[in-house]
Amino acid sequence: MKILQINKFFYRRGGAETHFLDLCRLLESHGHEVIHFSTADSRNESSPYGRYFVPSIDMRSSRGLFDGLKVAGHILYSTLAARKLEQLIKDTKPDIAHLHNIYRHLSPSILPVLKKYKIPVVMTLHDYKMICPNYKLYTQGAICERCRKHKYYQAIAHRCVFDKTMPSAMAALEMSVHKIWGVYKKNIDLFISPSEFLKKKFGEWGIENKIEVVPNFISPSLRVACEAISHSPCDYLLYFGRLTEEKGLLTLIWAMKQLPDIKLRIVGDGPLKEKLQNLVDMPDNIQLVGYKSGDELAREIVGARAVVIPSEWYENYPMSALEAISYGKPIIAANIGGLPEIVRDQKSGLLFQSGNASDLVDKIKLLWDDTALARTLGQAGQKQVSEENNPDVYYRRIKNIYENLK
């Protein structure tokens, strides 16, 4: 089968890109021809289809009025992306298209092209962009659903994109125009949601397209040989991921102030990095170690006693949780979004009330003081992921979806 895989980034930028790139390899390992479409970037992995990629756009860079209008036009409808994709389709003749994140950098302009050539379209929902201008249903330090019933002007009023008026206005315009055009409703045959929570939330917001839940998989290729560090003392807690407000890091730091004898290592980068570095009351038991990936990140995970995911937004189905559990590490996670579908309380980890630092302190103490419990939860979680999130299970489900739509 010829499968066209489309995502706006072609390097490991986050969980969506990790899933997208691993899926491409998984399909190729089963003998399928995988065709890529994305944006050009110096960080991209190698692709034989790179000549078809669309030039990337920096959405955060400051620009004058003319450039701003050009970017706005690209977000609404990129004629270049549509033209490049059409040429790719003519040259490769794919049987099916599987979309991931296409917003802004590629735009929905590519959807009518797929429809024109009668290519069935599947789209995996990695976030809330279909219903929320800033992707997160979170702004100004709290969960936000003000835009429900298409009240996208709320995004401008609350400056929910980069905390700036102009990007927020562009996002609100994008949502409004695409809603009026009905580009997703008309052109997507099936949505895939990694979590039951996201599927339910989309239903609450009136998304009428068919949505099928298929949990993400964790690729064995991401695992490293850890014999050299298998006997590490496991004497710290670990957070790894984006350093952003909605991840609950300030709540985690407050909790660690109450636990001066327990070390926390924070691995990652993001907009909150500078604020964390300049916190005058940052406790001595917390260490910011910067961004790590590959074997370096694996060593951080293997050396931890437990991983903490203190999110305060509706997490979908984070790859970081799967990766930590795959190494046999118990997780202390906030009971929000899709996290409880991965971290099952008292079975594969511990849940605490999102945003409640006191509850988080109690759960950390419980796990830290009971090494047998930590080991039991870690082993149970590892078994859970190996059974439910392995590539073979995912491949069978996604292959069945493709074949039913052809």
Side-chain angles (χ1 to χ4, degrees), residues 15 42 80 124 131 145 158 191 201 215 219 237 245 281 287 291 304:
S42 61
L80 177 60
T124 294
I131 58 177
E145 298 195 27
H158 297 276
F191 285 118
K201 185 59 64 178
S219 174
L237 295 175
E245 182 184 22
D281 57 345
Q287 184 178 6
Y291 175 79

Side-chain angles (χ1 to χ4, degrees), residues 321-353:
L322 293 183
E323 189 168 358
I325 295 176
S326 74
Y327 285 110
K329 297 300 169 180
I331 294 182
I332 303 171
N335 61 345
I336 194 168
L339 278 171
E341 296 175 39
I342 305 174
V343 183
R344 294 164 191 172
D345 197 31
Q346 299 289 341
K347 294 180 179 179
S348 55
L350 298 176
L351 296 175
F352 72 96
Q353 184 179 355

Side-chain angles (χ1 to χ4, degrees), residues 96 210 212 397-406:
I96 196 163
K210 183 179 179 182
E212 186 165 336
R397 296 192 65 179
I398 201 69
K399 180 173 177 284
N400 185 58
I401 288 172
Y402 292 165
E403 290 178 342
N404 286 340
L405 288 177
K406 277 185 63 181

Side-chain angles (χ1 to χ4, degrees), residues 119-250:
I119 299 172
V121 179
V122 176
M123 185 172 188
T124 294
L125 300 166
H126 294 282
D127 51 41
Y128 300 94
K129 179 61 179 70
M130 286 281 299
I131 58 177
C132 174
N134 77 357
Y135 297 36
K136 297 179 290 190
L137 293 177
Y138 180 100
T139 193
Q140 298 180 332
I143 294 293
C144 171
E145 298 195 27
R146 298 183 184 94
C147 287
R148 192 182 286 226
K149 296 185 179 179
H150 318 301
K151 298 177 182 177
Y152 302 126
Y153 60 84
Q154 293 284 356
I156 306 172
H158 297 276
R159 306 204 324 171
C160 70
V161 180
F162 307 147
D163 195 29
K164 295 180 179 179
T165 300
M166 185 55 70
S168 299
M170 289 171 61
L173 177 63
E174 173 197 12
M175 296 288 289
S176 300
V177 171
H178 292 162
K179 170 61 182 175
I180 293 170
W181 288 349
V183 287
Y184 296 104
K185 183 177 180 179
K186 295 176 183 176
N187 297 295
I188 305 294
D189 296 299
L190 175 71
F191 285 118
I192 294 174
S193 171
S195 71
E196 291 284 355
F197 180 87
L198 184 143
K199 176 182 178 179
K200 179 182 176 183
K201 185 59 64 178
F202 272 50
E204 292 173 0
W205 279 61
I207 299 297
E208 298 173 353
N209 298 61
K210 183 179 179 182
I211 302 176
E212 186 165 336
V213 176
V214 184
N216 291 336
F217 70 95
I218 182 77
S219 174
S221 65
L222 295 180
R223 303 287 300 277
V224 297
C226 297
E227 289 82 357
I229 50 176
S230 61
H231 300 293
S232 61
C234 296
D235 59 352
Y236 58 85
L237 295 175
L238 177 68
Y239 168 87
F240 68 98
R242 289 275 292 165
L243 306 185
T244 53
E245 182 184 22
E246 70 274 10
K247 292 293 187 179
L249 287 164
L250 297 180

Side-chain angles (χ1 to χ4, degrees), residues 286-301:
I286 297 179
Q287 184 178 6
L288 302 174
V289 297
Y291 175 79
K292 293 181 182 294
S293 62
D295 288 0
E296 282 189 323
L297 177 58
R299 291 188 177 89
E300 293 285 348
I301 298 171

